[in-house]
Every structure is written in structure tokens, then in C-alpha cells.
Amino acid sequence: MGAAVRALPLLLVAVAAVAGAAEALSLDVHHRYSSTVRGWAEAVGHPGHRAPQAGTAEYYAALAGHDLRRRSLASSSPAPAAAPTAGGPLAFADGNETYRISDFGFLHYAVVALGTPNVTFLVALDTGSDLFWVPCDCVKCAPLSSPSYGNLQFDMYSPGNSSTSRKVPCSSSLCDLQTECNAATSSCPYSIEYLSDNTSSNGVLVEDVMYLTTESGQPKITQALITFGCGQVQTGSFLGSAAPNGLLGLGMASKSVPSLLASKGIAANSFSMCFGDDGHGRINFGDTGSSDQLETPLNIYKQNPYYNISITGFMVGNKSYSTKFSAIVDSGTSFTALSDPMYTDITSSFNSQAKEKKNPPDSSLPFEFCYNISSKGAVSLPNISLTAKGGSIFPVYDPIITITDASSKPIGYCLAIMKSEGVNLIGENFMSGLKVVFDRERLVLGWKTFNCYNVDNSSKLPVNQNPSSVPTKPAMGPSSSNPEAAKGPSPNITQIDVPQPSSSSSIQWHLSGTLTAAIALLCLATL
């Protein structure tokens, strides 16, 4: 697949090539701190550069601190009407797996091939923003190689090197900054700021082919013309700590990848994301869900077009509560964040039913409600579920993180809900064990309990191996490589190692000032 990502020890996400008219796309996802990714990183990683040890407070702080809770400053428009579709889901051409990667923030990543000849990019997948952009003719971008990347080496896009690249004119409906167009070049500029450490991306819009493939039946490779950002200047987290090789927006606006695929009749105006227990997952473009899924309407606000749903109640253990609030479903957020009174209602109810002794609050932790585990090690947790508008129950299978000592013995756990100000976010941890369908045609969110691994394991994750080339002719079928396959799901519990506490009655965590500041930013930021 070209030289873009010459070795992908940490992640290979499905690059789905589109076939014919209106099929669906998909890809697999891995979490950056998953055991699978950690194994690859240790095999090829750079000495002295290692992800936080699973189980430590630094591990959880890093996950929370790297969330890209963004706010696009460019105006957005509602998603276009769906084009008629037929067939099944589509995927990126190298398989349909996505992965969370430890070195680049708590986001799902995929490998995407662009241009002729094709160049590959390791891009973050973000339901909270719209524009797809990659580093391009860079003035200020993340380095293409770095000791902190381990054995990864990235590539850069250049319109002049692709025979199928075209500039997007100022007159295009996708050009939000028409008044700032360059009269000399007639190229449409873009500028997006994300609410994460003054993070932004700036450049011009271009159009080129993206390689996609059908999943059902005989695989077919299709080249889909996609508008994306030629990112010439990046700032903040994009300079290394998150999405250094690009970001693929999955939001509601007309310039997002799902919208573009639907408007061209390539895929239905819907996609799904499956969230496994260990950071492994899948994304299927054109997936409209199934008849047995549960659903709730999406709240569509013209000035704030996120995947927003209404919650009418919740249950903790044997107690049910009526409430009314809206929440943004955001795969780019590590842990669920709630504002009051919802935060206090849910956490207080959980605390009243928890059997274990609560630890004193620790300001260095992103979680307020943490508990000791007795020497017997048995924990009986109250179940948590949300009731969505219309009455459908949204189950929460993994509301806690488990703390273990150096011998992997559980010694404590925390309710993984953070307190926010003025915004409610259903994060990735509340979606664990579910396939979530973002149906933008019917304007509903769907979900069902799902095993992300109970599918054809067609995608592979190479270690110390170059990705194979994406074929440029549909008749050639998907690329063939023989890398190490991803591991299956782990038990539905997150374990984290921490130093043995000095006292059996409490658990002590220690965080660096940088990570503590990152947590504070996450908790206080608003979309």
C-alpha cells in the first residue's frame, strides 16, 4: 500500500474500497493501550518510549487526557439525504479492523489509501468532527518519523504527485471559507480548531480517490472520489501526541466522509462502529443496522450537528430514576462525562449500593468514586443502564476500571464517569460490547449487544512488515498480506496495574503535573 505507513506495529485499520453502487464499508479498531497493541509496541518499540503500564493511574490519566473533544469553528450543514443503496457494508481496502493506539491518543485509527499512485495514512476516526484531512505539502506538521513512533514511518500527501488529484474551487458548496479564497490559485482554504490544547489544522481542500472494498460476496475494489483537507499547518496535539498522520471526520456535516459517500451513491447514509473489550473494533460504512437493534431518535441542531440523543431515565442496581437530559455520543471520548444533576444522581446511587469501602477523593484522578477490593477479591457491582427517548434501554456493560497490584491481583476499582461542566458525553467505555449504528438517513441511533470478533477475520495487523499495495483495478480484489492477526476479545473488565498501596485501607495514586493538567482540561472543556 505504498510507503505511507511502512511498518504498522501498533495498528492497521481497515481501508475499505467501495464497489459499484451503494455497498457498505467497514474496518476494525484497536485501542492504543490494548494488550494486542502493547505486544506489537514492545516487539518493535523504541527503548525508553513505552505506553503507561496497564493498571496504573498514569494509564487512565493518559486515556482521559488525550480525548479530542473538539469544536469546529467552521459552519456546518445537515447531512445530505441518502442515496439509494443496495448490498452490504463496505470497508477500507486493507481490512475492516480499527484500533486504538497507545502513542497517539485514545482514538480509533485506520489505514486509508489516497491518490494515484496511492499513498497510505494512519488516520484517527472521529465522530465529533467533520473534515477528513492528512498532512500535505507541509509547512508545519508532525514529523514523518520519530523515536516516539517506534517502528512507524508516515508519509505525506502532495497533490502534485497524484495524477487523480484536483483542487476544490472556491465556488464549491463544500468551501466554507469562500471569502478567504486565494484569487491567484482559486483554491478553497479550510481552518478548523479543536478544543484540545489549542489544536488546529489549516490548509486547502483537494479531491482525490480513496480505495474501498465490499465485504460481502466477491470483494471488489472501487476508487471513490473524496474531498479532504490538504493539511499544511497543524498545531497542538496534531504535532505528535494525537492524529499525527491525519484525522477522518465522521460527523453530520456534508463534508464528512459518510456524507460524501452517501451523496455519491457509494454507500447508504449510515455507518456503524463496534466497540470490543480490548480496544479492538470495526467500522462499517453503509451499515443501516438490523431489525433486532434498539433505537432512539437523534436530536438534530442546525448550529450544533452532533450525534445527540435524549435520555429520559436510568437504572442503577435495583433503583430506577426519571430524568431528562441530552448527551452527545462520541467515540473520541475515552470515558463518559456527565454534568450535574445527572452526574451526582448516578454516582450517588452507585455509591449507595456499592459494597466496598470508598477511598477518599484524589484530585489527581479523573474519577471521584473509587473503592477498595477485599482480600477475597469478589466484587458485586450494581448494574447501570440508560433509558433513551422512546423507551429503549442502553446497557452499560463496562462502567468501571479495575485496579490491580504488581502481581495482577485486583485491589480496587473506580466508577469510570467524570464530572463535566455543561455538556454530557457518552464515551467509548459506555459503548463497550455494543455495535452502535449512526443512521443519518432515518436520524436514529441504533445499538445492539455484539461480539466484534464474531466476523470474518479478513484484516491483518503486520509487525515489522510493509503493508501490501492497494490494487488500482477493481478486478484485482483486495490486497493480500500475511501479517499477525489481531487477538480476540478479553474478559469484559479493564485491569490496570498500580504500585501496591502502603495501607490496606486505601489505594494511592500518583500522577505527573502534565497528566493532571490534561485531565483538568478534559473535565472543564465544553464543545
Side-chain angles (χ1 to χ4, degrees), residues 15-50:
V15 182
V18 177
E23 306 242 12
L25 309 154
S26 61
L27 65 108
D28 264 8
V29 194
H30 261 291
H31 167 214
R32 66 181 194 136
Y33 291 154
S34 70
S35 57
T36 302
V37 170
R38 182 181 297 277
W40 303 327
E42 290 176 353
V44 300
H46 185 271
H49 181 80
R50 300 171 65 88

PDB file of all heavy atoms in Angstrom, residues 15-50:
ATOM      1  N   VAL A  15      -9.031  -0.432   5.506  1.00  0.00           N
ATOM      2  CA  VAL A  15      -9.276   0.566   4.493  1.00  0.00           C
ATOM      3  C   VAL A  15     -10.241  -0.083   3.532  1.00  0.00           C
ATOM      4  O   VAL A  15      -9.905  -1.030   2.908  1.00  0.00           O
ATOM      5  CB  VAL A  15      -8.011   0.930   3.735  1.00  0.00           C
ATOM      6  CG1 VAL A  15      -8.306   2.003   2.740  1.00  0.00           C
ATOM      7  CG2 VAL A  15      -6.962   1.345   4.692  1.00  0.00           C
ATOM      8  N   ALA A  16     -11.455   0.418   3.461  1.00  0.00           N
ATOM      9  CA  ALA A  16     -12.437  -0.272   2.680  1.00  0.00           C
ATOM     10  C   ALA A  16     -12.577   0.334   1.326  1.00  0.00           C
ATOM     11  O   ALA A  16     -12.719   1.500   1.201  1.00  0.00           O
ATOM     12  CB  ALA A  16     -13.755  -0.204   3.376  1.00  0.00           C
ATOM     13  N   ALA A  17     -12.562  -0.462   0.295  1.00  0.00           N
ATOM     14  CA  ALA A  17     -12.715   0.081  -1.024  1.00  0.00           C
ATOM     15  C   ALA A  17     -14.148  -0.069  -1.459  1.00  0.00           C
ATOM     16  O   ALA A  17     -14.769  -1.045  -1.209  1.00  0.00           O
ATOM     17  CB  ALA A  17     -11.826  -0.657  -1.976  1.00  0.00           C
ATOM     18  N   VAL A  18     -14.672   0.936  -2.091  1.00  0.00           N
ATOM     19  CA  VAL A  18     -16.074   0.938  -2.459  1.00  0.00           C
ATOM     20  C   VAL A  18     -16.276   0.215  -3.760  1.00  0.00           C
ATOM     21  O   VAL A  18     -15.587   0.443  -4.701  1.00  0.00           O
ATOM     22  CB  VAL A  18     -16.565   2.359  -2.638  1.00  0.00           C
ATOM     23  CG1 VAL A  18     -17.983   2.360  -3.079  1.00  0.00           C
ATOM     24  CG2 VAL A  18     -16.383   3.094  -1.366  1.00  0.00           C
ATOM     25  N   ALA A  19     -17.276  -0.631  -3.839  1.00  0.00           N
ATOM     26  CA  ALA A  19     -17.546  -1.320  -5.066  1.00  0.00           C
ATOM     27  C   ALA A  19     -18.867  -0.874  -5.638  1.00  0.00           C
ATOM     28  O   ALA A  19     -19.836  -0.751  -4.928  1.00  0.00           O
ATOM     29  CB  ALA A  19     -17.597  -2.809  -4.835  1.00  0.00           C
ATOM     30  N   GLY A  20     -18.895  -0.633  -6.943  1.00  0.00           N
ATOM     31  CA  GLY A  20     -20.129  -0.369  -7.644  1.00  0.00           C
ATOM     32  C   GLY A  20     -21.011   0.633  -6.943  1.00  0.00           C
ATOM     33  O   GLY A  20     -20.565   1.554  -6.321  1.00  0.00           O
ATOM     34  N   ALA A  21     -22.292   0.421  -7.013  1.00  0.00           N
ATOM     35  CA  ALA A  21     -23.229   1.392  -6.460  1.00  0.00           C
ATOM     36  C   ALA A  21     -23.664   0.957  -5.088  1.00  0.00           C
ATOM     37  O   ALA A  21     -24.187  -0.102  -4.888  1.00  0.00           O
ATOM     38  CB  ALA A  21     -24.434   1.501  -7.376  1.00  0.00           C
ATOM     39  N   ALA A  22     -23.471   1.829  -4.146  1.00  0.00           N
ATOM     40  CA  ALA A  22     -24.072   1.757  -2.845  1.00  0.00           C
ATOM     41  C   ALA A  22     -23.865   0.449  -2.140  1.00  0.00           C
ATOM     42  O   ALA A  22     -24.788  -0.251  -1.828  1.00  0.00           O
ATOM     43  CB  ALA A  22     -25.541   2.015  -2.962  1.00  0.00           C
ATOM     44  N   GLU A  23     -22.651   0.060  -1.844  1.00  0.00           N
ATOM     45  CA  GLU A  23     -22.390  -1.034  -0.934  1.00  0.00           C
ATOM     46  C   GLU A  23     -21.881  -0.418   0.351  1.00  0.00           C
ATOM     47  O   GLU A  23     -21.732   0.772   0.456  1.00  0.00           O
ATOM     48  CB  GLU A  23     -21.352  -1.980  -1.552  1.00  0.00           C
ATOM     49  CG  GLU A  23     -21.731  -2.461  -2.925  1.00  0.00           C
ATOM     50  CD  GLU A  23     -21.908  -3.948  -3.002  1.00  0.00           C
ATOM     51  OE1 GLU A  23     -21.962  -4.580  -1.948  1.00  0.00           O
ATOM     52  OE2 GLU A  23     -21.985  -4.466  -4.103  1.00  0.00           O
ATOM     53  N   ALA A  24     -21.601  -1.247   1.373  1.00  0.00           N
ATOM     54  CA  ALA A  24     -21.199  -0.662   2.634  1.00  0.00           C
ATOM     55  C   ALA A  24     -19.751  -0.927   2.939  1.00  0.00           C
ATOM     56  O   ALA A  24     -19.177  -1.855   2.443  1.00  0.00           O
ATOM     57  CB  ALA A  24     -22.065  -1.230   3.735  1.00  0.00           C
ATOM     58  N   LEU A  25     -19.140  -0.065   3.752  1.00  0.00           N
ATOM     59  CA  LEU A  25     -17.715  -0.119   4.069  1.00  0.00           C
ATOM     60  C   LEU A  25     -17.502  -0.518   5.511  1.00  0.00           C
ATOM     61  O   LEU A  25     -18.307  -0.184   6.345  1.00  0.00           O
ATOM     62  CB  LEU A  25     -17.087   1.256   3.947  1.00  0.00           C
ATOM     63  CG  LEU A  25     -17.303   2.046   2.717  1.00  0.00           C
ATOM     64  CD1 LEU A  25     -17.177   3.501   3.068  1.00  0.00           C
ATOM     65  CD2 LEU A  25     -16.244   1.691   1.751  1.00  0.00           C
ATOM     66  N   SER A  26     -16.347  -1.099   5.826  1.00  0.00           N
ATOM     67  CA  SER A  26     -16.105  -1.414   7.222  1.00  0.00           C
ATOM     68  C   SER A  26     -14.628  -1.475   7.532  1.00  0.00           C
ATOM     69  O   SER A  26     -13.799  -1.580   6.650  1.00  0.00           O
ATOM     70  CB  SER A  26     -16.747  -2.758   7.589  1.00  0.00           C
ATOM     71  OG  SER A  26     -16.198  -3.776   6.821  1.00  0.00           O
ATOM     72  N   LEU A  27     -14.301  -1.397   8.842  1.00  0.00           N
ATOM     73  CA  LEU A  27     -12.929  -1.551   9.271  1.00  0.00           C
ATOM     74  C   LEU A  27     -12.858  -1.840  10.761  1.00  0.00           C
ATOM     75  O   LEU A  27     -13.799  -1.624  11.486  1.00  0.00           O
ATOM     76  CB  LEU A  27     -12.093  -0.324   8.923  1.00  0.00           C
ATOM     77  CG  LEU A  27     -12.408   0.988   9.591  1.00  0.00           C
ATOM     78  CD1 LEU A  27     -11.320   1.302  10.592  1.00  0.00           C
ATOM     79  CD2 LEU A  27     -12.471   2.088   8.573  1.00  0.00           C
ATOM     80  N   ASP A  28     -11.732  -2.406  11.186  1.00  0.00           N
ATOM     81  CA  ASP A  28     -11.529  -2.828  12.564  1.00  0.00           C
ATOM     82  C   ASP A  28     -10.810  -1.768  13.365  1.00  0.00           C
ATOM     83  O   ASP A  28     -10.057  -0.986  12.830  1.00  0.00           O
ATOM     84  CB  ASP A  28     -10.677  -4.098  12.608  1.00  0.00           C
ATOM     85  CG  ASP A  28     -11.536  -5.326  12.699  1.00  0.00           C
ATOM     86  OD1 ASP A  28     -12.736  -5.176  12.572  1.00  0.00           O
ATOM     87  OD2 ASP A  28     -10.988  -6.414  12.874  1.00  0.00           O
ATOM     88  N   VAL A  29     -10.998  -1.789  14.693  1.00  0.00           N
ATOM     89  CA  VAL A  29     -10.419  -0.759  15.542  1.00  0.00           C
ATOM     90  C   VAL A  29      -9.685  -1.377  16.715  1.00  0.00           C
ATOM     91  O   VAL A  29     -10.158  -2.318  17.309  1.00  0.00           O
ATOM     92  CB  VAL A  29     -11.528   0.120  16.138  1.00  0.00           C
ATOM     93  CG1 VAL A  29     -10.957   1.381  16.728  1.00  0.00           C
ATOM     94  CG2 VAL A  29     -12.560   0.431  15.098  1.00  0.00           C
ATOM     95  N   HIS A  30      -8.529  -0.822  17.060  1.00  0.00           N
ATOM     96  CA  HIS A  30      -7.810  -1.237  18.262  1.00  0.00           C
ATOM     97  C   HIS A  30      -7.505  -0.046  19.128  1.00  0.00           C
ATOM     98  O   HIS A  30      -7.212   1.028  18.639  1.00  0.00           O
ATOM     99  CB  HIS A  30      -6.489  -1.924  17.912  1.00  0.00           C
ATOM    100  CG  HIS A  30      -6.598  -3.416  17.954  1.00  0.00           C
ATOM    101  ND1 HIS A  30      -6.759  -4.107  19.110  1.00  0.00           N
ATOM    102  CD2 HIS A  30      -6.596  -4.330  16.960  1.00  0.00           C
ATOM    103  CE1 HIS A  30      -6.825  -5.402  18.845  1.00  0.00           C
ATOM    104  NE2 HIS A  30      -6.739  -5.559  17.544  1.00  0.00           N
ATOM    105  N   HIS A  31      -7.548  -0.275  20.427  1.00  0.00           N
ATOM    106  CA  HIS A  31      -7.252   0.764  21.403  1.00  0.00           C
ATOM    107  C   HIS A  31      -5.748   0.893  21.598  1.00  0.00           C
ATOM    108  O   HIS A  31      -5.031  -0.082  21.598  1.00  0.00           O
ATOM    109  CB  HIS A  31      -7.936   0.370  22.716  1.00  0.00           C
ATOM    110  CG  HIS A  31      -7.509   1.153  23.891  1.00  0.00           C
ATOM    111  ND1 HIS A  31      -7.427   0.613  25.143  1.00  0.00           N
ATOM    112  CD2 HIS A  31      -7.137   2.435  24.006  1.00  0.00           C
ATOM    113  CE1 HIS A  31      -7.028   1.534  25.995  1.00  0.00           C
ATOM    114  NE2 HIS A  31      -6.842   2.647  25.322  1.00  0.00           N
ATOM    115  N   ARG A  32      -5.308   2.089  21.778  1.00  0.00           N
ATOM    116  CA  ARG A  32      -3.879   2.348  21.843  1.00  0.00           C
ATOM    117  C   ARG A  32      -3.197   1.653  22.999  1.00  0.00           C
ATOM    118  O   ARG A  32      -2.007   1.374  22.934  1.00  0.00           O
ATOM    119  CB  ARG A  32      -3.625   3.852  21.942  1.00  0.00           C
ATOM    120  CG  ARG A  32      -4.115   4.490  23.228  1.00  0.00           C
ATOM    121  CD  ARG A  32      -3.824   5.967  23.201  1.00  0.00           C
ATOM    122  NE  ARG A  32      -3.980   6.552  24.517  1.00  0.00           N
ATOM    123  CZ  ARG A  32      -3.134   7.416  25.031  1.00  0.00           C
ATOM    124  NH1 ARG A  32      -2.070   7.772  24.367  1.00  0.00           N
ATOM    125  NH2 ARG A  32      -3.348   7.929  26.213  1.00  0.00           N
ATOM    126  N   TYR A  33      -3.900   1.344  24.093  1.00  0.00           N
ATOM    127  CA  TYR A  33      -3.283   0.675  25.229  1.00  0.00           C
ATOM    128  C   TYR A  33      -3.744  -0.783  25.344  1.00  0.00           C
ATOM    129  O   TYR A  33      -3.642  -1.397  26.392  1.00  0.00           O
ATOM    130  CB  TYR A  33      -3.624   1.405  26.531  1.00  0.00           C
ATOM    131  CG  TYR A  33      -2.971   2.763  26.636  1.00  0.00           C
ATOM    132  CD1 TYR A  33      -3.533   3.769  27.401  1.00  0.00           C
ATOM    133  CD2 TYR A  33      -1.786   3.043  25.958  1.00  0.00           C
ATOM    134  CE1 TYR A  33      -2.929   5.024  27.496  1.00  0.00           C
ATOM    135  CE2 TYR A  33      -1.189   4.281  26.038  1.00  0.00           C
ATOM    136  CZ  TYR A  33      -1.765   5.265  26.809  1.00  0.00           C
ATOM    137  OH  TYR A  33      -1.170   6.485  26.902  1.00  0.00           O
ATOM    138  N   SER A  34      -4.296  -1.335  24.287  1.00  0.00           N
ATOM    139  CA  SER A  34      -4.767  -2.713  24.338  1.00  0.00           C
ATOM    140  C   SER A  34      -3.583  -3.664  24.473  1.00  0.00           C
ATOM    141  O   SER A  34      -2.450  -3.349  24.124  1.00  0.00           O
ATOM    142  CB  SER A  34      -5.551  -3.053  23.076  1.00  0.00           C
ATOM    143  OG  SER A  34      -4.684  -3.118  21.964  1.00  0.00           O
ATOM    144  N   SER A  35      -3.866  -4.876  24.969  1.00  0.00           N
ATOM    145  CA  SER A  35      -2.798  -5.856  25.137  1.00  0.00           C
ATOM    146  C   SER A  35      -2.202  -6.246  23.787  1.00  0.00           C
ATOM    147  O   SER A  35      -1.006  -6.500  23.660  1.00  0.00           O
ATOM    148  CB  SER A  35      -3.343  -7.097  25.847  1.00  0.00           C
ATOM    149  OG  SER A  35      -4.434  -7.655  25.125  1.00  0.00           O
ATOM    150  N   THR A  36      -3.040  -6.283  22.753  1.00  0.00           N
ATOM    151  CA  THR A  36      -2.539  -6.621  21.422  1.00  0.00           C
ATOM    152  C   THR A  36      -1.564  -5.571  20.926  1.00  0.00           C
ATOM    153  O   THR A  36      -0.452  -5.867  20.486  1.00  0.00           O
ATOM    154  CB  THR A  36      -3.715  -6.738  20.437  1.00  0.00           C
ATOM    155  OG1 THR A  36      -4.625  -7.728  20.916  1.00  0.00           O
ATOM    156  CG2 THR A  36      -3.214  -7.121  19.052  1.00  0.00           C
ATOM    157  N   VAL A  37      -1.976  -4.319  21.004  1.00  0.00           N
ATOM    158  CA  VAL A  37      -1.121  -3.227  20.554  1.00  0.00           C
ATOM    159  C   VAL A  37       0.124  -3.125  21.408  1.00  0.00           C
ATOM    160  O   VAL A  37       1.223  -2.870  20.922  1.00  0.00           O
ATOM    161  CB  VAL A  37      -1.899  -1.892  20.559  1.00  0.00           C
ATOM    162  CG1 VAL A  37      -0.961  -0.723  20.321  1.00  0.00           C
ATOM    163  CG2 VAL A  37      -2.971  -1.917  19.483  1.00  0.00           C
ATOM    164  N   ARG A  38      -0.020  -3.337  22.717  1.00  0.00           N
ATOM    165  CA  ARG A  38       1.145  -3.288  23.595  1.00  0.00           C
ATOM    166  C   ARG A  38       2.176  -4.327  23.181  1.00  0.00           C
ATOM    167  O   ARG A  38       3.375  -4.081  23.184  1.00  0.00           O
ATOM    168  CB  ARG A  38       0.710  -3.521  25.049  1.00  0.00           C
ATOM    169  CG  ARG A  38       1.862  -3.424  26.033  1.00  0.00           C
ATOM    170  CD  ARG A  38       1.355  -3.699  27.440  1.00  0.00           C
ATOM    171  NE  ARG A  38       0.389  -2.692  27.840  1.00  0.00           N
ATOM    172  CZ  ARG A  38       0.722  -1.507  28.341  1.00  0.00           C
ATOM    173  NH1 ARG A  38       1.998  -1.201  28.484  1.00  0.00           N
ATOM    174  NH2 ARG A  38      -0.188  -0.641  28.682  1.00  0.00           N
ATOM    175  N   GLY A  39       1.694  -5.533  22.773  1.00  0.00           N
ATOM    176  CA  GLY A  39       2.614  -6.568  22.339  1.00  0.00           C
ATOM    177  C   GLY A  39       3.387  -6.170  21.104  1.00  0.00           C
ATOM    178  O   GLY A  39       4.589  -6.394  21.003  1.00  0.00           O
ATOM    179  N   TRP A  40       2.694  -5.540  20.148  1.00  0.00           N
ATOM    180  CA  TRP A  40       3.389  -5.083  18.947  1.00  0.00           C
ATOM    181  C   TRP A  40       4.387  -3.986  19.292  1.00  0.00           C
ATOM    182  O   TRP A  40       5.498  -3.959  18.788  1.00  0.00           O
ATOM    183  CB  TRP A  40       2.390  -4.550  17.929  1.00  0.00           C
ATOM    184  CG  TRP A  40       1.362  -5.534  17.544  1.00  0.00           C
ATOM    185  CD1 TRP A  40       1.498  -6.891  17.447  1.00  0.00           C
ATOM    186  CD2 TRP A  40       0.006  -5.255  17.218  1.00  0.00           C
ATOM    187  NE1 TRP A  40       0.325  -7.457  17.090  1.00  0.00           N
ATOM    188  CE2 TRP A  40      -0.605  -6.489  16.935  1.00  0.00           C
ATOM    189  CE3 TRP A  40      -0.747  -4.084  17.120  1.00  0.00           C
ATOM    190  CZ2 TRP A  40      -1.938  -6.582  16.571  1.00  0.00           C
ATOM    191  CZ3 TRP A  40      -2.072  -4.184  16.745  1.00  0.00           C
ATOM    192  CH2 TRP A  40      -2.649  -5.409  16.485  1.00  0.00           C
ATOM    193  N   ALA A  41       3.957  -3.076  20.155  1.00  0.00           N
ATOM    194  CA  ALA A  41       4.816  -1.949  20.508  1.00  0.00           C
ATOM    195  C   ALA A  41       6.084  -2.436  21.191  1.00  0.00           C
ATOM    196  O   ALA A  41       7.178  -1.940  20.943  1.00  0.00           O
ATOM    197  CB  ALA A  41       4.059  -0.984  21.401  1.00  0.00           C
ATOM    198  N   GLU A  42       5.935  -3.436  22.058  1.00  0.00           N
ATOM    199  CA  GLU A  42       7.098  -3.947  22.768  1.00  0.00           C
ATOM    200  C   GLU A  42       8.034  -4.687  21.816  1.00  0.00           C
ATOM    201  O   GLU A  42       9.237  -4.729  22.017  1.00  0.00           O
ATOM    202  CB  GLU A  42       6.651  -4.846  23.907  1.00  0.00           C
ATOM    203  CG  GLU A  42       5.973  -4.070  25.048  1.00  0.00           C
ATOM    204  CD  GLU A  42       5.457  -4.986  26.131  1.00  0.00           C
ATOM    205  OE1 GLU A  42       5.504  -6.222  25.944  1.00  0.00           O
ATOM    206  OE2 GLU A  42       4.992  -4.462  27.161  1.00  0.00           O
ATOM    207  N   ALA A  43       7.451  -5.273  20.754  1.00  0.00           N
ATOM    208  CA  ALA A  43       8.275  -6.020  19.810  1.00  0.00           C
ATOM    209  C   ALA A  43       9.111  -5.102  18.933  1.00  0.00           C
ATOM    210  O   ALA A  43      10.210  -5.452  18.518  1.00  0.00           O
ATOM    211  CB  ALA A  43       7.389  -6.903  18.926  1.00  0.00           C
ATOM    212  N   VAL A  44       8.580  -3.911  18.652  1.00  0.00           N
ATOM    213  CA  VAL A  44       9.275  -3.029  17.721  1.00  0.00           C
ATOM    214  C   VAL A  44       9.527  -1.649  18.280  1.00  0.00           C
ATOM    215  O   VAL A  44      10.069  -0.786  17.608  1.00  0.00           O
ATOM    216  CB  VAL A  44       8.454  -2.876  16.413  1.00  0.00           C
ATOM    217  CG1 VAL A  44       8.269  -4.226  15.763  1.00  0.00           C
ATOM    218  CG2 VAL A  44       7.116  -2.224  16.694  1.00  0.00           C
ATOM    219  N   GLY A  45       9.136  -1.429  19.541  1.00  0.00           N
ATOM    220  CA  GLY A  45       9.184  -0.084  20.094  1.00  0.00           C
ATOM    221  C   GLY A  45      10.584   0.418  20.361  1.00  0.00           C
ATOM    222  O   GLY A  45      11.556  -0.323  20.385  1.00  0.00           O
ATOM    223  N   HIS A  46      10.633   1.722  20.565  1.00  0.00           N
ATOM    224  CA  HIS A  46      11.908   2.385  20.828  1.00  0.00           C
ATOM    225  C   HIS A  46      12.225   2.306  22.319  1.00  0.00           C
ATOM    226  O   HIS A  46      11.362   2.545  23.156  1.00  0.00           O
ATOM    227  CB  HIS A  46      11.804   3.858  20.392  1.00  0.00           C
ATOM    228  CG  HIS A  46      13.103   4.593  20.499  1.00  0.00           C
ATOM    229  ND1 HIS A  46      13.490   5.246  21.642  1.00  0.00           N
ATOM    230  CD2 HIS A  46      14.092   4.773  19.589  1.00  0.00           C
ATOM    231  CE1 HIS A  46      14.668   5.818  21.445  1.00  0.00           C
ATOM    232  NE2 HIS A  46      15.050   5.547  20.224  1.00  0.00           N
ATOM    233  N   PRO A  47      13.452   1.959  22.714  1.00  0.00           N
ATOM    234  CA  PRO A  47      13.803   1.883  24.131  1.00  0.00           C
ATOM    235  C   PRO A  47      13.522   3.204  24.827  1.00  0.00           C
ATOM    236  O   PRO A  47      13.796   4.267  24.318  1.00  0.00           O
ATOM    237  CB  PRO A  47      15.308   1.584  24.098  1.00  0.00           C
ATOM    238  CG  PRO A  47      15.543   0.948  22.762  1.00  0.00           C
ATOM    239  CD  PRO A  47      14.573   1.611  21.831  1.00  0.00           C
ATOM    240  N   GLY A  48      12.947   3.088  26.000  1.00  0.00           N
ATOM    241  CA  GLY A  48      12.677   4.280  26.786  1.00  0.00           C
ATOM    242  C   GLY A  48      11.365   4.945  26.441  1.00  0.00           C
ATOM    243  O   GLY A  48      10.939   5.872  27.116  1.00  0.00           O
ATOM    244  N   HIS A  49      10.707   4.488  25.357  1.00  0.00           N
ATOM    245  CA  HIS A  49       9.410   5.074  24.993  1.00  0.00           C
ATOM    246  C   HIS A  49       8.363   3.978  25.071  1.00  0.00           C
ATOM    247  O   HIS A  49       8.220   3.177  24.168  1.00  0.00           O
ATOM    248  CB  HIS A  49       9.453   5.655  23.591  1.00  0.00           C
ATOM    249  CG  HIS A  49       8.147   6.284  23.211  1.00  0.00           C
ATOM    250  ND1 HIS A  49       7.802   7.539  23.630  1.00  0.00           N
ATOM    251  CD2 HIS A  49       7.106   5.812  22.479  1.00  0.00           C
ATOM    252  CE1 HIS A  49       6.600   7.833  23.166  1.00  0.00           C
ATOM    253  NE2 HIS A  49       6.165   6.796  22.466  1.00  0.00           N
ATOM    254  N   ARG A  50       7.651   3.917  26.168  1.00  0.00           N
ATOM    255  CA  ARG A  50       6.680   2.864  26.380  1.00  0.00           C
ATOM    256  C   ARG A  50       5.378   3.473  26.878  1.00  0.00           C
ATOM    257  O   ARG A  50       5.361   4.490  27.548  1.00  0.00           O
ATOM    258  CB  ARG A  50       7.191   1.846  27.416  1.00  0.00           C
ATOM    259  CG  ARG A  50       8.478   1.169  27.003  1.00  0.00           C
ATOM    260  CD  ARG A  50       9.043   0.358  28.146  1.00  0.00           C
ATOM    261  NE  ARG A  50       8.166  -0.731  28.495  1.00  0.00           N
ATOM    262  CZ  ARG A  50       8.198  -1.928  27.940  1.00  0.00           C
ATOM    263  NH1 ARG A  50       9.034  -2.165  26.967  1.00  0.00           N
ATOM    264  NH2 ARG A  50       7.378  -2.884  28.317  1.00  0.00           N
TER     265      ARG A  50
END
